[in-house]
Amino acid sequence: MTCREVEGLIISYASGAAIPPEAVAHIAGCERCRRLTQVMKETPANAVPSVEQLQKIKTGMLTDLRPVKPLAPAGVLFVALMFILLVVGAVGGVALGIAGWQALGPPQRITVFTSLVAAAGLLAFSLVQQIVPGSRLRLPPYVLVVVLMGIIASFFAILFHPQAEPTFVSTGLVCLRIGLEGAIAAGLLSWLVLRRGAILNPMWTAATAGALAGLSGLTVLEIFCPNLNEYHILVWHLGAALVSAAAGLAIGTIAELSSGRRTRPIP
Amino acid sequence: MHPEMDASSSSGPDLEQIMTRYQSGDAAAAESLVDLLSGQLYFFFSSQMGSREEADDMLQEVWLRIHRVRHTYRPGEPVLAWVYAIARRVRIDNYRRRYRIARREVAADVLPEVRAGQGSSQELPSFAELVAPLPESQREVLTMLKVGGLSIEEVARATSSTAGSVKQKVHRAYDRLRRMLQDTALGRARRGERR
């Protein structure tokens, strides 16, 4: 047995588990592992909060102790977030028209909306995990946001082609405004769901929520805008989603920095 | 393990049951939870920050936050991962606050405070002394494993990372600890020779 293999067993040993004979043999013959095992088995002795301190904490908790309803299951929260995306997309389509949807060919339609729904699903799943402390996060939120935005940009670059557009900026700004309006609506509705949870990392949770809201705005634009110029879509449509994610990140950063300033003692 | 710190004996279904009762407004369960977990949380904070006053403040703050977000615990999920994720956040916020205050104060050339030992007659340094020089992330992971009795998977959940990354940190920490222990032993042997 090697020192590396013994490491895992030392952790279990520290928690009171028995150590297998082959590991015992290694530890007996290895001075470094023997010392490490001894230290890990030792009890940290000097860290006990005072009785008064514990009593104060208990009193504070008991004065405000009432039954609470556990947070809704992850599936329910996920569906709620995806429903917001659908509602914002549908309302946008009804209010602004579906010229964009009609302008797209079947392969473009399938690729664009499938990638948007899939990306939104992954962001919604990540958000549901982020608002529950101790959840298993398979991918850091910032990696997820960057990767998904990159994939969508690649799809758009492949599906659409550059076209001459004399009013690139003026029409673009209209799309950006519409996209951001959709994102703000989705962001506010998402907040109603997310506020039920515990946001431990406001910066990344807000950035993820901003990205999800941005995808709602992007969905509205893909349904409404018939402009198929590649640069228009990449700059103004995807730009709305990126601005929304950046706004989320900025809001989260402010919240994170201000959370460190607050101290609320237990009465 | 210290009896007051030993939540590992009550982890799993028992701790989950207590947590569920606490959610349903059971005062005894709330008190049990404080009694069971405060010792290890206090050690987690004091081993990371070193000051008793700060550990006191953070212990109070973590229970305040646990109480506020108790509805986010889902029965069946590991309680310790949930608790330590919140505790870790409290520690980060405290660290930021301390950093901000330190930035405003005039920097003094003071060496880092060395924690009081458990007695020089001891053959080995205490756990707290030993992990003190480790990088923060390694110290955090090791403290959760040793004092909190969390599994690798639970530590991964509490630190929002993967089990692979936690294992890597533990391996690096152990490597460093082995070297430090060897140096300590060598130093002691040399002193013995001189005498």
Side-chain angles (χ1 to χ4, degrees):
Chain A
M1 222 173 188
T2 63
C3 295
R4 178 108 203 215
E5 286 166 338
V6 169
E7 277 173 12
L9 299 165
I10 292 175
I11 297 166
S12 324
Y13 181 59
S15 311
I19 213 154
E22 60 268 31
V24 174
H26 172 91
I27 291 166
C30 175
E31 178 67 9
R32 296 202 310 173
C33 283
R34 190 182 63 76
R35 286 179 170 275
L36 185 63
T37 314
Q38 239 175 302
V39 172
M40 292 304 285
K41 185 64 182 171
E42 251 187 31
T43 300
N46 61 342
V48 183
S50 67
V51 178
E52 297 80 43
Q53 166 88 338
L54 291 184
Q55 199 50 52
K56 197 175 161 189
I57 290 167
K58 286 178 192 171
T59 311
M61 287 166 77
L62 295 180
T63 49
D64 179 33
L65 188 65
R66 56 178 190 280
V68 288
K69 199 176 153 197
L71 193 66
V76 173
L77 297 175
F78 175 81
V79 170
L81 290 172
M82 291 303 284
F83 183 69
I84 290 168
L85 178 93
L86 285 178
V87 167
V88 171
V91 170
V94 169
L96 304 164
I98 55 166
W101 171 270
Q102 288 164 339
L104 293 171
Q108 287 174 323
R109 205 177 284 165
I110 291 167
T111 313
V112 165
F113 289 99
T114 306
S115 61
L116 285 178
V117 170
L122 288 171
L123 290 173
F125 182 76
S126 175
L127 275 173
V128 168
Q129 303 290 311
Q130 285 179 54
I131 61 169
V132 176
S135 289
R136 193 184 288 117
L137 284 179
R138 287 181 176 82
L139 207 59
Y142 51 91
V143 174
L144 188 67
V145 171
V146 170
V147 167
L148 289 178
M149 290 297 177
I151 290 172
I152 292 172
S154 311
F155 279 152
F156 283 178
I158 294 165
L159 287 171
F160 302 101
H161 304 288
Q163 291 171 9
E165 192 184 342
T167 56
F168 181 76
V169 175
S170 56
T171 52
L173 285 174
V174 173
C175 279
L176 183 67
R177 183 179 55 78
I178 291 169
L180 289 178
E181 282 171 359
I184 290 167
L188 292 173
L189 290 171
S190 301
W191 170 242
L192 296 175
V193 176
L194 299 176
R195 63 192 284 273
R196 281 281 300 151
I199 299 173
L200 293 184
N201 192 337
M203 208 164 86
W204 293 118
T205 304
T208 316
L212 179 63
L215 289 187
S216 303
L218 182 54
T219 307
V220 171
L221 286 173
E222 291 311 310
I223 293 171
F224 149 74
C225 178
N227 190 336
L228 300 184
N229 177 14
E230 180 186 347
Y231 297 128
H232 173 85
I233 291 169
L234 283 176
V235 174
W236 304 110
H237 291 198
L238 192 63
L242 292 174
V243 168
S244 175
L249 182 67
I251 293 167
T253 306
I254 293 165
E256 181 140 353
L257 292 176
S258 63
S259 74
R261 290 175 202 275
R262 290 193 296 264
T263 41
R264 275 163 281 182
I266 288 177
Chain B
M1 202 173 279
H2 200 285
E4 290 178 49
M5 290 182 174
D6 189 8
S8 59
S9 60
S10 59
S11 65
D14 285 354
L15 206 51
E16 279 175 34
Q17 278 169 16
I18 295 171
M19 189 64 208
T20 313
R21 276 171 35 220
Y22 170 45
Q23 283 182 318
S24 57
D26 183 338
E31 288 187 289
S32 302
L33 211 58
V34 173
D35 287 334
L36 276 168
L37 299 177
S38 288
Q40 55 171 276
L41 286 172
Y42 189 79
F43 186 85
F44 175 71
F45 293 133
S46 60
S47 70
Q48 304 283 313
M49 297 314 223
S51 140
R52 230 192 135 86
E53 290 74 31
E54 275 182 291
D56 277 336
D57 288 347
M58 283 189 280
L59 185 67
Q60 191 166 304
E61 176 68 18
V62 77
W63 281 113
L64 185 73
R65 289 200 198 179
I66 285 173
H67 190 63
R68 205 187 304 140
V69 300
R70 62 192 185 278
H71 66 281
T72 62
Y73 171 73
R74 289 203 180 102
E77 294 289 313
V79 177
L80 289 177
W82 183 83
V83 167
Y84 272 90
I86 298 168
R88 188 170 180 264
R89 189 66 223 175
V90 168
R91 192 177 61 74
I92 292 170
D93 284 347
N94 184 74
Y95 177 80
R96 286 207 178 121
R97 198 162 36 238
R98 195 163 76 149
Y99 177 72
R100 259 197 307 272
I101 293 166
R103 237 181 7 179
R104 286 194 205 118
E105 287 172 353
V106 179
D109 288 333
V110 180
L111 288 169
E113 189 186 330
V114 179
R115 286 189 188 86
Q118 298 303 297
S120 55
S121 60
Q122 274 191 337
E123 195 200 337
L124 290 169
S126 72
F127 177 75
E129 285 173 315
L130 198 68
V131 298
L134 290 178
E136 203 176 304
S137 62
Q138 292 175 14
R139 196 164 66 221
E140 177 184 73
V141 162
L142 222 53
T143 310
M144 282 185 190
L145 286 167
K146 157 96 179 112
V147 183
L150 277 75
S151 65
I152 295 273
E153 172 62 26
E154 286 173 329
V155 175
R157 281 166 170 250
T159 55
S160 304
S161 58
T162 59
S165 148
V166 173
K167 277 182 191 162
Q168 199 175 37
K169 279 179 192 161
V170 172
H171 171 63
R172 284 184 186 149
Y174 277 165
D175 235 23
R176 219 163 150 162
L177 289 180
R178 279 199 189 96
R179 279 201 302 274
M180 281 158 56
L181 285 167
Q182 198 171 29
D183 291 347
T184 314
L186 281 173
R188 203 167 278 132
R190 280 188 197 125
R191 279 197 298 276
E193 276 169 19
R194 266 185 235 131
R195 276 177 208 148

